Coordinates of all heavy atoms in Angstrom, one line a residue:
M1 N 55.6 -69.0 -90.9 CA 54.3 -68.7 -90.4 C 53.2 -69.5 -91.1 O 52.4 -68.9 -91.9 CB 54.0 -67.2 -90.6 CG 55.0 -66.3 -89.9 SD 54.9 -66.5 -88.1 CE 56.3 -65.5 -87.6
G2 N 53.3 -70.8 -90.9 CA 52.2 -71.6 -91.5 C 50.9 -71.4 -90.9 O 50.7 -70.9 -89.8
T3 N 49.9 -71.8 -91.6 CA 48.5 -71.7 -91.0 C 48.0 -73.0 -90.5 O 46.9 -73.1 -89.9 CB 47.6 -71.3 -92.1 OG1 47.6 -72.2 -93.2 CG2 47.9 -69.9 -92.6
A4 N 48.8 -74.1 -90.6 CA 48.4 -75.4 -90.1 C 49.5 -75.9 -89.1 O 50.6 -75.6 -89.2 CB 48.3 -76.4 -91.2
T5 N 49.0 -76.7 -88.1 CA 49.9 -77.3 -87.2 C 50.5 -78.6 -87.7 O 49.7 -79.4 -88.3 CB 49.2 -77.6 -85.8 OG1 48.6 -76.3 -85.4 CG2 50.1 -78.2 -84.8
T6 N 51.7 -78.7 -87.6 CA 52.4 -80.0 -88.0 C 52.6 -80.8 -86.8 O 53.2 -80.4 -85.8 CB 53.7 -79.7 -88.6 OG1 53.5 -78.8 -89.8 CG2 54.4 -81.0 -89.1
A7 N 52.1 -82.1 -86.8 CA 52.3 -83.0 -85.7 C 52.7 -84.3 -86.3 O 52.3 -84.7 -87.4 CB 51.0 -83.1 -84.9
P8 N 53.4 -85.1 -85.5 CA 53.8 -86.4 -86.0 C 52.6 -87.4 -86.1 O 51.6 -87.2 -85.3 CB 54.8 -86.9 -84.9 CG 54.5 -86.2 -83.7 CD 53.9 -84.8 -84.2
V9 N 52.7 -88.3 -87.0 CA 51.7 -89.4 -87.1 C 52.1 -90.5 -86.2 O 53.2 -91.0 -86.3 CB 51.5 -89.9 -88.6 CG1 50.6 -91.0 -88.6 CG2 51.1 -88.7 -89.5
T10 N 51.3 -90.8 -85.2 CA 51.6 -91.9 -84.3 C 51.2 -93.3 -84.8 O 50.4 -93.3 -85.7 CB 50.9 -91.7 -82.9 OG1 49.5 -91.6 -83.2 CG2 51.4 -90.4 -82.3
P11 N 51.9 -94.3 -84.3 CA 52.8 -94.3 -83.2 C 54.2 -93.9 -83.6 O 54.6 -94.1 -84.7 CB 52.8 -95.8 -82.7 CG 52.5 -96.6 -84.0 CD 51.6 -95.7 -84.8
L12 N 54.9 -93.3 -82.7 CA 56.3 -92.9 -82.9 C 57.1 -94.2 -82.7 O 56.8 -95.1 -81.9 CB 56.7 -91.9 -81.9 CG 56.1 -90.5 -82.0 CD1 56.6 -89.6 -80.9 CD2 56.3 -89.9 -83.4
K13 N 58.2 -94.3 -83.5 CA 59.0 -95.5 -83.5 C 60.5 -95.1 -83.3 O 61.0 -94.0 -83.7 CB 59.0 -96.2 -84.9 CG 57.6 -96.7 -85.3 CD 57.3 -97.9 -84.5 CE 56.0 -98.5 -85.0 NZ 55.8 -99.8 -84.5
V14 N 61.2 -95.9 -82.5 CA 62.6 -95.6 -82.2 C 63.5 -96.5 -83.0 O 63.3 -97.8 -83.1 CB 62.9 -95.9 -80.7 CG1 64.4 -95.7 -80.4 CG2 62.0 -95.0 -79.8
A15 N 64.4 -95.9 -83.7 CA 65.3 -96.6 -84.6 C 66.7 -96.6 -83.9 O 67.0 -95.6 -83.2 CB 65.4 -96.0 -86.0
L16 N 67.5 -97.6 -84.2 CA 68.9 -97.6 -83.7 C 69.8 -97.3 -84.9 O 69.5 -97.8 -86.0 CB 69.2 -98.9 -83.0 CG 68.4 -99.3 -81.8 CD1 68.7 -100.7 -81.3 CD2 68.5 -98.2 -80.7
V17 N 70.9 -96.6 -84.7 CA 71.8 -96.3 -85.8 C 73.2 -96.7 -85.5 O 73.7 -96.7 -84.3 CB 71.8 -94.8 -86.2 CG1 70.4 -94.4 -86.7 CG2 72.1 -93.9 -85.0
T18 N 74.0 -97.1 -86.6 CA 75.4 -97.5 -86.4 C 76.3 -96.4 -86.9 O 77.5 -96.5 -86.7 CB 75.6 -98.7 -87.3 OG1 75.3 -98.5 -88.7 CG2 74.8 -99.9 -86.8
A19 N 75.8 -95.3 -87.5 CA 76.5 -94.1 -87.8 C 75.6 -93.0 -87.6 O 74.4 -93.0 -88.0 CB 77.0 -94.1 -89.3
A20 N 76.0 -92.0 -86.8 CA 75.2 -90.9 -86.4 C 74.8 -90.0 -87.6 O 75.6 -89.8 -88.5 CB 75.9 -90.1 -85.3
G21 N 73.6 -89.5 -87.5 CA 73.1 -88.5 -88.5 C 73.3 -87.1 -87.9 O 74.0 -86.9 -86.9
D22 N 72.8 -86.1 -88.6 CA 72.9 -84.7 -88.2 C 71.5 -84.1 -88.5 O 70.6 -84.7 -88.8 CB 74.0 -84.0 -88.8 CG 74.0 -84.0 -90.3 OD1 72.9 -84.1 -90.9 OD2 75.1 -84.0 -91.0
D23 N 71.5 -82.7 -88.4 CA 70.2 -82.0 -88.6 C 69.7 -82.2 -90.0 O 68.4 -82.2 -90.2 CB 70.4 -80.5 -88.3 CG 70.5 -80.2 -86.8 OD1 70.2 -81.1 -86.0 OD2 70.9 -79.1 -86.5
A24 N 70.5 -82.5 -90.9 CA 70.1 -82.6 -92.3 C 69.9 -84.0 -92.8 O 69.2 -84.3 -93.8 CB 71.0 -81.8 -93.2
T25 N 70.6 -85.0 -92.2 CA 70.7 -86.3 -92.8 C 70.5 -87.3 -91.6 O 71.1 -87.2 -90.6 CB 72.1 -86.5 -93.4 OG1 72.4 -85.5 -94.3 CG2 72.2 -87.9 -94.1
A26 N 69.7 -88.3 -91.9 CA 69.5 -89.4 -91.0 C 70.7 -90.3 -90.8 O 71.6 -90.3 -91.7 CB 68.3 -90.3 -91.5
G27 N 70.8 -90.9 -89.7 CA 71.9 -91.8 -89.5 C 71.8 -93.1 -90.3 O 70.8 -93.3 -91.0
T28 N 72.7 -94.0 -90.2 CA 72.7 -95.3 -90.8 C 72.0 -96.3 -89.9 O 72.5 -96.7 -88.8 CB 74.1 -95.8 -91.2 OG1 74.7 -94.8 -92.0 CG2 74.0 -97.2 -91.9
E29 N 70.7 -96.7 -90.2 CA 70.0 -97.6 -89.4 C 70.5 -99.0 -89.4 O 70.9 -99.5 -90.4 CB 68.5 -97.5 -89.8 CG 67.6 -98.2 -88.8 CD 66.1 -97.9 -89.1 OE1 65.8 -97.2 -90.0 OE2 65.3 -98.5 -88.3
V30 N 70.4 -99.7 -88.2 CA 70.7 -101.1 -88.1 C 69.9 -101.9 -89.1 O 68.7 -101.6 -89.3 CB 70.4 -101.6 -86.7 CG1 70.5 -103.1 -86.6 CG2 71.3 -100.9 -85.7
V31 N 70.5 -102.9 -89.7 CA 69.8 -103.8 -90.6 C 70.2 -105.2 -90.3 O 71.3 -105.4 -89.8 CB 70.0 -103.5 -92.1 CG1 69.4 -102.2 -92.5 CG2 71.5 -103.6 -92.4
G32 N 69.3 -106.2 -90.5 CA 69.6 -107.6 -90.3 C 69.1 -108.1 -89.0 O 68.5 -107.4 -88.2
G33 N 69.3 -109.4 -88.8 CA 68.8 -110.1 -87.6 C 67.3 -109.9 -87.6 O 66.6 -109.9 -88.6
S34 N 66.7 -109.8 -86.4 CA 65.3 -109.6 -86.2 C 65.0 -108.1 -85.9 O 64.0 -107.7 -85.4 CB 64.8 -110.4 -85.0 OG 64.9 -111.8 -85.3
Y35 N 66.0 -107.2 -86.2 CA 65.9 -105.8 -85.9 C 64.6 -105.2 -86.6 O 64.3 -105.4 -87.7 CB 67.1 -105.0 -86.4 CG 66.9 -103.5 -86.3 CD1 67.0 -102.9 -85.1 CD2 66.4 -102.8 -87.4 CE1 66.8 -101.5 -84.9 CE2 66.2 -101.4 -87.2 CZ 66.4 -100.8 -86.0 OH 66.2 -99.4 -85.9
A36 N 63.9 -104.4 -85.8 CA 62.8 -103.6 -86.3 C 62.6 -102.4 -85.3 O 62.9 -102.5 -84.1 CB 61.5 -104.4 -86.3
R37 N 62.2 -101.3 -85.9 CA 61.9 -100.1 -85.0 C 60.9 -100.5 -84.0 O 59.9 -101.3 -84.2 CB 61.4 -99.0 -85.9 CG 62.4 -98.4 -86.8 CD 61.8 -97.3 -87.7 NE 62.8 -96.8 -88.6 CZ 62.6 -95.9 -89.5 NH1 61.4 -95.3 -89.6 NH2 63.6 -95.5 -90.3
Q38 N 61.1 -99.9 -82.8 CA 60.2 -100.2 -81.6 C 59.3 -99.0 -81.3 O 59.7 -97.8 -81.5 CB 61.0 -100.5 -80.4 CG 61.9 -101.8 -80.6 CD 61.0 -103.0 -80.8 OE1 60.1 -103.3 -80.0 NE2 61.3 -103.7 -81.9
T39 N 58.1 -99.3 -80.9 CA 57.1 -98.2 -80.6 C 57.4 -97.5 -79.3 O 57.7 -98.2 -78.3 CB 55.7 -98.8 -80.5 OG1 55.3 -99.4 -81.8 CG2 54.6 -97.8 -80.2
L40 N 57.4 -96.2 -79.4 CA 57.8 -95.4 -78.2 C 56.5 -94.9 -77.5 O 55.6 -94.4 -78.1 CB 58.5 -94.1 -78.7 CG 58.9 -93.1 -77.6 CD1 59.8 -93.7 -76.6 CD2 59.4 -91.8 -78.3
T41 N 56.5 -95.2 -76.2 CA 55.4 -94.6 -75.3 C 56.1 -93.7 -74.3 O 57.2 -94.0 -73.8 CB 54.6 -95.7 -74.6 OG1 55.5 -96.5 -73.9 CG2 53.8 -96.6 -75.6
V42 N 55.5 -92.6 -74.0 CA 56.1 -91.6 -73.1 C 55.1 -91.3 -72.0 O 53.8 -91.3 -72.2 CB 56.6 -90.3 -73.8 CG1 57.7 -90.6 -74.7 CG2 55.5 -89.6 -74.5
G43 N 55.6 -90.9 -70.8 CA 54.7 -90.4 -69.8 C 54.4 -88.9 -69.9 O 54.8 -88.3 -70.9
A44 N 53.8 -88.4 -68.9 CA 53.5 -86.9 -68.9 C 54.8 -86.1 -68.9 O 55.7 -86.5 -68.2 CB 52.6 -86.6 -67.8
A45 N 54.8 -85.0 -69.5 CA 55.9 -84.1 -69.5 C 56.1 -83.5 -68.1 O 55.1 -83.2 -67.4 CB 55.8 -83.0 -70.5
A46 N 57.3 -83.4 -67.7 CA 57.7 -82.7 -66.4 C 58.8 -81.8 -66.7 O 59.9 -82.2 -67.2 CB 58.0 -83.7 -65.4
S47 N 58.7 -80.5 -66.4 CA 59.7 -79.5 -66.6 C 60.2 -79.5 -68.0 O 61.4 -79.4 -68.3 CB 60.9 -79.8 -65.6 OG 60.4 -79.7 -64.3
G48 N 59.3 -79.7 -69.0 CA 59.7 -79.6 -70.4 C 60.4 -80.9 -70.9 O 60.9 -80.8 -72.0
A49 N 60.3 -82.0 -70.2 CA 61.0 -83.2 -70.6 C 60.0 -84.4 -70.5 O 59.1 -84.4 -69.7 CB 62.2 -83.4 -69.8
V50 N 60.3 -85.4 -71.3 CA 59.6 -86.7 -71.3 C 60.6 -87.8 -71.4 O 61.7 -87.6 -71.8 CB 58.5 -86.9 -72.3 CG1 57.4 -85.8 -72.2 CG2 59.1 -86.8 -73.7
S51 N 60.2 -89.0 -71.0 CA 61.1 -90.2 -71.2 C 60.2 -91.3 -71.5 O 59.0 -91.3 -71.4 CB 62.0 -90.4 -70.0 OG 61.2 -90.8 -68.9
N52 N 60.8 -92.4 -72.0 CA 60.1 -93.6 -72.4 C 59.4 -94.2 -71.1 O 60.1 -94.3 -70.1 CB 60.9 -94.6 -73.1 CG 62.1 -95.1 -72.3 OD1 62.9 -94.3 -71.7 ND2 62.4 -96.4 -72.3
S53 N 58.2 -94.6 -71.2 CA 57.4 -95.1 -70.1 C 57.4 -96.6 -70.1 O 56.9 -97.2 -69.1 CB 56.0 -94.6 -70.0 OG 55.3 -94.9 -71.2
A54 N 57.9 -97.2 -71.1 CA 58.1 -98.7 -71.1 C 59.4 -99.1 -71.7 O 60.0 -98.3 -72.5 CB 56.9 -99.3 -72.0
D55 N 59.9 -100.2 -71.4 CA 61.2 -100.7 -71.9 C 61.0 -100.8 -73.5 O 60.0 -101.2 -74.0 CB 61.5 -102.1 -71.4 CG 62.0 -102.1 -70.0 OD1 62.0 -101.1 -69.3 OD2 62.3 -103.2 -69.5
L56 N 62.1 -100.4 -74.1 CA 62.3 -100.6 -75.6 C 63.2 -101.8 -75.7 O 64.3 -101.8 -75.2 CB 62.8 -99.4 -76.2 CG 62.0 -98.1 -76.1 CD1 62.8 -96.9 -76.4 CD2 60.8 -98.2 -77.1
V57 N 62.8 -102.9 -76.4 CA 63.5 -104.1 -76.5 C 63.7 -104.5 -78.0 O 62.7 -104.6 -78.7 CB 62.9 -105.2 -75.7 CG1 63.7 -106.5 -75.8 CG2 62.7 -104.8 -74.3
W58 N 64.9 -104.7 -78.4 CA 65.2 -105.3 -79.7 C 65.9 -106.6 -79.5 O 67.0 -106.7 -78.9 CB 66.2 -104.3 -80.4 CG 65.6 -103.0 -80.8 CD1 65.1 -102.7 -82.1 CD2 65.6 -101.8 -80.1 NE1 64.7 -101.4 -82.1 CE2 65.0 -100.8 -80.9 CE3 66.0 -101.5 -78.8 CZ2 64.8 -99.5 -80.4 CZ3 65.7 -100.2 -78.3 CH2 65.1 -99.2 -79.2
A59 N 65.2 -107.7 -79.8 CA 65.7 -109.0 -79.7 C 66.3 -109.5 -81.0 O 65.9 -109.0 -82.1 CB 64.6 -110.0 -79.2
G60 N 67.2 -110.5 -80.9 CA 67.8 -111.0 -82.2 C 68.5 -110.1 -83.0 O 68.4 -110.1 -84.3
M61 N 69.3 -109.2 -82.4 CA 70.0 -108.1 -83.1 C 71.1 -108.8 -84.0 O 71.7 -109.8 -83.7 CB 70.6 -107.1 -82.2 CG 69.6 -106.3 -81.4 SD 68.9 -105.1 -82.5 CE 70.3 -104.0 -82.8
P62 N 71.5 -108.1 -85.1 CA 72.7 -108.5 -85.9 C 73.9 -108.0 -85.1 O 73.9 -107.2 -84.3 CB 72.5 -107.7 -87.2 CG 71.8 -106.5 -86.8 CD 70.8 -106.9 -85.7
A63 N 75.1 -108.5 -85.5 CA 76.3 -108.0 -85.0 C 76.5 -106.6 -85.5 O 76.4 -106.3 -86.7 CB 77.5 -108.9 -85.5
C64 N 76.7 -105.7 -84.6 CA 76.8 -104.3 -85.0 C 77.3 -103.5 -83.8 O 77.3 -104.0 -82.6 CB 75.5 -103.7 -85.5 SG 74.2 -103.7 -84.3
T65 N 77.6 -102.2 -84.0 CA 77.9 -101.3 -82.9 C 76.9 -100.1 -83.0 O 76.9 -99.4 -84.1 CB 79.3 -100.7 -83.0 OG1 80.3 -101.8 -82.8 CG2 79.6 -99.7 -81.9
I66 N 76.1 -100.0 -82.0 CA 75.1 -98.9 -82.0 C 75.7 -97.7 -81.4 O 76.3 -97.7 -80.4 CB 73.9 -99.4 -81.1 CG1 73.3 -100.7 -81.6 CG2 72.8 -98.3 -81.1 CD1 72.3 -101.3 -80.6
V67 N 75.5 -96.5 -82.1 CA 76.1 -95.3 -81.7 C 75.0 -94.2 -81.3 O 75.3 -93.2 -80.7 CB 77.0 -94.7 -82.7 CG1 78.2 -95.6 -83.0 CG2 76.3 -94.3 -84.0
G68 N 73.7 -94.5 -81.7 CA 72.7 -93.5 -81.4 C 71.3 -94.0 -81.7 O 71.1 -95.2 -82.1
W69 N 70.3 -93.1 -81.6 CA 68.9 -93.5 -81.8 C 68.3 -92.4 -82.6 O 68.8 -91.2 -82.6 CB 68.2 -93.7 -80.4 CG 68.5 -92.5 -79.5 CD1 69.5 -92.4 -78.6 CD2 67.8 -91.3 -79.5 NE1 69.4 -91.2 -78.0 CE2 68.4 -90.5 -78.5 CE3 66.7 -90.8 -80.1 CZ2 67.9 -89.2 -78.2 CZ3 66.2 -89.5 -79.8 CH2 66.8 -88.7 -78.8
E70 N 67.1 -92.7 -83.2 CA 66.3 -91.7 -83.9 C 64.9 -92.0 -83.6 O 64.5 -93.2 -83.4 CB 66.6 -91.7 -85.4 CG 68.0 -91.4 -85.7 CD 68.3 -91.4 -87.2 OE1 67.6 -92.0 -88.0 OE2 69.3 -90.8 -87.6
I71 N 64.0 -91.0 -83.6 CA 62.6 -91.2 -83.4 C 61.9 -90.8 -84.7 O 62.1 -89.6 -85.2 CB 62.1 -90.4 -82.2 CG1 62.7 -90.9 -81.0 CG2 60.5 -90.5 -82.2 CD1 62.4 -90.1 -79.7
W72 N 61.1 -91.7 -85.3 CA 60.4 -91.5 -86.5 C 58.9 -91.6 -86.3 O 58.5 -92.3 -85.4 CB 60.8 -92.5 -87.5 CG 62.3 -92.4 -88.0 CD1 63.4 -92.8 -87.3 CD2 62.7 -91.9 -89.2 NE1 64.5 -92.5 -88.0 CE2 64.2 -92.0 -89.2 CE3 62.1 -91.3 -90.3 CZ2 65.0 -91.5 -90.2 CZ3 62.9 -90.9 -91.3 CH2 64.3 -91.0 -91.3
D73 N 58.1 -90.9 -87.1 CA 56.7 -91.1 -87.1 C 56.3 -92.2 -88.0 O 57.1 -92.9 -88.6 CB 55.9 -89.8 -87.3 CG 55.9 -89.3 -88.7 OD1 56.5 -90.0 -89.6 OD2 55.4 -88.2 -89.0
S74 N 55.0 -92.4 -88.1 CA 54.4 -93.5 -88.9 C 53.7 -93.1 -90.2 O 52.8 -93.8 -90.6 CB 53.5 -94.4 -88.0 OG 54.3 -95.0 -87.0
T75 N 54.1 -92.0 -90.8 CA 53.4 -91.6 -92.0 C 53.8 -92.6 -93.1 O 54.8 -93.4 -92.9 CB 53.8 -90.2 -92.4 OG1 55.3 -90.1 -92.6 CG2 53.4 -89.2 -91.5
G76 N 53.2 -92.5 -94.3 CA 53.5 -93.3 -95.4 C 55.0 -93.2 -95.8 O 55.7 -94.1 -96.1
T77 N 55.5 -92.0 -95.7 CA 56.9 -91.7 -95.8 C 57.3 -91.1 -94.5 O 57.2 -89.9 -94.2 CB 57.2 -90.6 -96.9 OG1 56.6 -91.1 -98.2 CG2 58.6 -90.4 -97.1
P78 N 57.9 -92.0 -93.6 CA 58.2 -91.6 -92.2 C 59.1 -90.3 -92.1 O 60.0 -90.1 -93.0 CB 58.9 -92.8 -91.6 CG 58.4 -93.9 -92.4 CD 58.2 -93.4 -93.8
V79 N 58.8 -89.5 -91.1 CA 59.6 -88.3 -90.9 C 60.3 -88.5 -89.6 O 59.8 -88.9 -88.6 CB 58.6 -87.1 -90.7 CG1 59.4 -85.8 -90.3 CG2 57.8 -86.9 -92.0
R80 N 61.6 -88.1 -89.6 CA 62.5 -88.2 -88.4 C 62.2 -86.9 -87.6 O 62.3 -85.8 -88.0 CB 63.9 -88.2 -88.8 CG 64.9 -88.4 -87.6 CD 66.3 -88.6 -88.1 NE 66.7 -87.4 -88.7 CZ 67.9 -86.8 -88.7 NH1 68.8 -87.4 -87.9 NH2 68.2 -85.7 -89.3
W81 N 61.8 -87.1 -86.3 CA 61.5 -86.0 -85.4 C 62.6 -85.7 -84.4 O 62.7 -84.6 -83.9 CB 60.2 -86.3 -84.7 CG 59.0 -86.2 -85.6 CD1 58.5 -87.1 -86.4 CD2 58.2 -85.0 -85.7 NE1 57.5 -86.6 -87.1 CE2 57.2 -85.3 -86.7 CE3 58.2 -83.8 -85.2 CZ2 56.3 -84.4 -87.1 CZ3 57.3 -82.8 -85.6 CH2 56.3 -83.2 -86.5
W82 N 63.4 -86.7 -84.1 CA 64.4 -86.5 -83.0 C 65.5 -87.4 -83.2 O 65.3 -88.5 -83.8 CB 63.7 -86.7 -81.6 CG 64.2 -85.9 -80.5 CD1 65.5 -85.8 -80.1 CD2 63.4 -85.1 -79.6 NE1 65.6 -85.0 -79.0 CE2 64.3 -84.6 -78.7 CE3 62.1 -84.9 -79.5 CZ2 63.9 -83.7 -77.6 CZ3 61.6 -84.1 -78.5 CH2 62.5 -83.5 -77.6
Y83 N 66.7 -87.1 -82.7 CA 67.9 -88.0 -82.8 C 68.9 -87.7 -81.7 O 68.8 -86.6 -81.2 CB 68.5 -88.0 -84.2 CG 69.2 -86.7 -84.5 CD1 70.6 -86.6 -84.2 CD2 68.6 -85.6 -85.0 CE1 71.3 -85.4 -84.5 CE2 69.2 -84.4 -85.3 CZ 70.6 -84.3 -85.0 OH 71.2 -83.2 -85.3
G84 N 69.7 -88.6 -81.4 CA 70.7 -88.4 -80.4 C 71.7 -89.5 -80.3 O 71.4 -90.6 -80.7
P85 N 72.8 -89.3 -79.6 CA 73.9 -90.3 -79.4 C 73.6 -91.1 -78.2 O 72.9 -90.7 -77.3 CB 75.1 -89.5 -79.2 CG 74.6 -88.2 -78.5 CD 73.3 -88.0 -79.1
L86 N 74.1 -92.3 -78.1 CA 74.1 -93.1 -76.9 C 75.2 -92.4 -76.0 O 76.2 -91.8 -76.5 CB 74.5 -94.5 -77.1 CG 73.5 -95.3 -78.0 CD1 74.0 -96.8 -78.1 CD2 72.1 -95.3 -77.4
D87 N 75.1 -92.6 -74.7 CA 76.1 -92.1 -73.8 C 77.4 -92.9 -74.1 O 78.5 -92.3 -74.0 CB 75.7 -92.3 -72.3 CG 74.6 -91.4 -71.9 OD1 74.4 -90.3 -72.5 OD2 73.9 -91.7 -70.9
T88 N 77.3 -94.2 -74.4 CA 78.4 -95.0 -74.7 C 78.0 -95.9 -75.8 O 77.0 -96.6 -75.8 CB 78.9 -95.9 -73.5 OG1 79.1 -95.0 -72.4 CG2 80.1 -96.7 -73.8
N89 N 78.9 -96.0 -76.9 CA 78.5 -96.9 -78.0 C 78.4 -98.4 -77.4 O 79.0 -98.7 -76.5 CB 79.7 -96.9 -79.0 CG 79.7 -95.6 -79.8 OD1 78.9 -94.7 -79.6 ND2 80.8 -95.4 -80.5
R90 N 77.5 -99.1 -78.1 CA 77.3 -100.5 -77.6 C 77.5 -101.5 -78.7 O 76.9 -101.4 -79.8 CB 75.8 -100.6 -77.1 CG 75.4 -102.0 -76.7 CD 76.0 -102.3 -75.3 NE 75.7 -103.7 -75.0 CZ 74.6 -104.1 -74.4 NH1 73.6 -103.2 -74.0 NH2 74.4 -105.4 -74.2
T91 N 78.5 -102.4 -78.5 CA 78.8 -103.4 -79.5 C 78.0 -104.7 -79.2 O 78.1 -105.2 -78.1 CB 80.3 -103.7 -79.6 OG1 81.0 -102.5 -79.9 CG2 80.6 -104.8 -80.6
L92 N 77.3 -105.2 -80.2 CA 76.5 -106.4 -80.0 C 76.9 -107.5 -80.9 O 77.5 -107.3 -82.0 CB 75.0 -106.1 -80.4 CG 74.3 -104.9 -79.6 CD1 73.0 -104.7 -80.2 CD2 74.2 -105.2 -78.2
L93 N 76.8 -108.7 -80.4 CA 77.0 -109.9 -81.2 C 75.7 -110.4 -81.8 O 74.6 -110.0 -81.3 CB 77.5 -111.1 -80.3 CG 78.9 -110.8 -79.6 CD1 79.2 -111.9 -78.6 CD2 80.0 -110.5 -80.6
A94 N 75.8 -111.1 -82.9 CA 74.6 -111.6 -83.6 C 73.7 -112.4 -82.5 O 74.2 -113.2 -81.8 CB 74.9 -112.5 -84.7
G95 N 72.4 -112.0 -82.5 CA 71.5 -112.7 -81.6 C 71.3 -112.0 -80.3 O 70.4 -112.4 -79.5
D96 N 72.2 -111.0 -80.0 CA 72.0 -110.3 -78.7 C 70.7 -109.5 -78.6 O 70.1 -109.2 -79.6 CB 73.2 -109.3 -78.5 CG 74.5 -109.9 -78.0 OD1 74.5 -111.1 -77.7 OD2 75.5 -109.2 -78.0
E97 N 70.4 -109.1 -77.4 CA 69.2 -108.3 -77.1 C 69.8 -106.9 -76.7 O 70.8 -106.8 -76.0 CB 68.4 -108.8 -76.0 CG 67.2 -107.9 -75.6 CD 66.5 -108.5 -74.4 OE1 65.6 -109.4 -74.6 OE2 66.7 -108.1 -73.3
Y98 N 69.1 -105.8 -77.2 CA 69.4 -104.5 -76.8 C 68.2 -103.9 -76.1 O 67.1 -104.0 -76.7 CB 69.9 -103.6 -77.9 CG 70.3 -102.2 -77.5 CD1 71.5 -102.1 -76.7 CD2 69.5 -101.2 -77.7 CE1 71.8 -100.8 -76.3 CE2 69.9 -99.9 -77.3 CZ 71.0 -99.7 -76.5 OH 71.4 -98.5 -76.1
R99 N 68.4 -103.3 -75.0 CA 67.2 -102.8 -74.2 C 67.5 -101.4 -73.7 O 68.6 -101.1 -73.2 CB 67.0 -103.7 -73.0 CG 65.8 -103.3 -72.1 CD 65.7 -104.2 -71.0 NE 65.4 -105.6 -71.4 CZ 64.2 -106.1 -71.5 NH1 63.2 -105.5 -71.1 NH2 64.1 -107.4 -71.9
I100 N 66.5 -100.5 -73.9 CA 66.6 -99.2 -73.2 C 65.4 -99.2 -72.2 O 64.3 -99.3 -72.6 CB 66.3 -98.0 -74.2 CG1 67.4 -98.0 -75.3 CG2 66.3 -96.7 -73.5 CD1 67.2 -97.0 -76.4
T101 N 65.8 -99.3 -70.9 CA 64.8 -99.5 -69.9 C 63.9 -98.2 -69.7 O 64.4 -97.1 -70.1 CB 65.4 -99.9 -68.5 OG1 66.4 -98.9 -68.2 CG2 66.1 -101.2 -68.6
A102 N 62.7 -98.4 -69.2 CA 61.8 -97.3 -69.0 C 62.5 -96.2 -68.2 O 63.2 -96.4 -67.3 CB 60.6 -97.8 -68.3
G103 N 62.3 -94.9 -68.7 CA 62.9 -93.8 -68.0 C 64.3 -93.4 -68.5 O 64.8 -92.4 -68.0
N104 N 64.9 -94.2 -69.4 CA 66.2 -93.9 -69.8 C 66.4 -93.3 -71.2 O 67.6 -93.1 -71.6 CB 67.1 -95.2 -69.6 CG 67.4 -95.4 -68.2 OD1 68.0 -94.6 -67.5 ND2 67.0 -96.6 -67.7
L105 N 65.4 -93.1 -71.9 CA 65.5 -92.4 -73.2 C 64.8 -91.0 -72.9 O 63.6 -90.9 -72.9 CB 64.8 -93.1 -74.3 CG 64.8 -92.4 -75.7 CD1 66.3 -92.2 -76.1 CD2 64.0 -93.1 -76.7
D106 N 65.6 -90.0 -72.5 CA 65.1 -88.7 -72.1 C 65.1 -87.8 -73.2 O 66.1 -87.6 -74.0 CB 66.1 -88.2 -71.0 CG 66.1 -89.1 -69.8 OD1 65.0 -89.6 -69.3 OD2 67.2 -89.3 -69.2
L107 N 64.0 -87.1 -73.4 CA 63.8 -86.1 -74.4 C 63.4 -84.7 -73.8 O 62.5 -84.6 -73.1 CB 62.7 -86.5 -75.4 CG 62.9 -87.9 -75.9 CD1 61.6 -88.4 -76.6 CD2 64.1 -88.0 -76.9
A108 N 64.3 -83.7 -74.1 CA 64.0 -82.4 -73.5 C 64.5 -81.3 -74.5 O 65.4 -81.5 -75.2 CB 64.8 -82.2 -72.2
L109 N 63.8 -80.2 -74.4 CA 64.2 -79.0 -75.2 C 64.8 -78.1 -74.2 O 64.4 -77.9 -73.1 CB 63.0 -78.4 -75.9 CG 62.3 -79.2 -76.9 CD1 61.1 -78.5 -77.4 CD2 63.3 -79.5 -78.1
S110 N 65.9 -77.4 -74.7 CA 66.5 -76.4 -73.8 C 66.8 -75.2 -74.6 O 66.8 -75.1 -75.8 CB 67.8 -77.0 -73.1 OG 68.7 -77.4 -74.1

């Protein structure tokens, strides 16, 4: 029963992971190549759900297998707000591009 509202510091960033995290521990984030977290933009919520409103693009990726994603805020010490698995793991070669097209990163509470 806090007296203050906790909200993420924007912009929110999407990270890719090579080993999945859980409720207590973050996953193992991709490192190397030109990898960097990408800024997340979302459209208006509908039926309690939102999705990315623009493509998320990671160019110049290192060789790796991506198993999931995480959403972090932009505080001085970033806080992880959400995480999830990919529907199918994705193996990339060095220099590949990885893209989550608009509308395909779905976030919903149930």
Side-chain angles (χ1 to χ4, degrees):
M1 301 296 171
T3 58
T5 302
T6 301
V9 175
T10 57
L12 295 177
K13 299 285 188 169
V14 179
L16 300 175
V17 296
T18 58
D22 57 30
D23 288 346
T25 307
T28 303
E29 189 167 358
V30 171
V31 294
S34 297
Y35 172 81
R37 293 177 180 180
Q38 298 299 304
T39 299
L40 175 65
T41 56
V42 296
S47 300
V50 297
S51 63
N52 58 315
S53 59
D55 288 0
L56 296 162
V57 181
W58 291 265
M61 291 288 290
C64 64
T65 298
I66 302 165
V67 301
W69 52 268
E70 298 180 342
I71 297 175
W72 293 78
D73 73 4
S74 293
T75 58
T77 303
V79 175
R80 184 176 63 142
W81 286 85
W82 213 304
Y83 68 95
L86 297 181
D87 290 336
T88 303
N89 293 351
R90 176 75 187 273
T91 299
L92 303 174
L93 301 175
D96 280 356
E97 175 182 280
Y98 183 71
R99 178 182 301 260
I100 300 174
T101 55
N104 283 303
L105 181 60
D106 300 316
L107 306 168
L109 296 176
S110 57

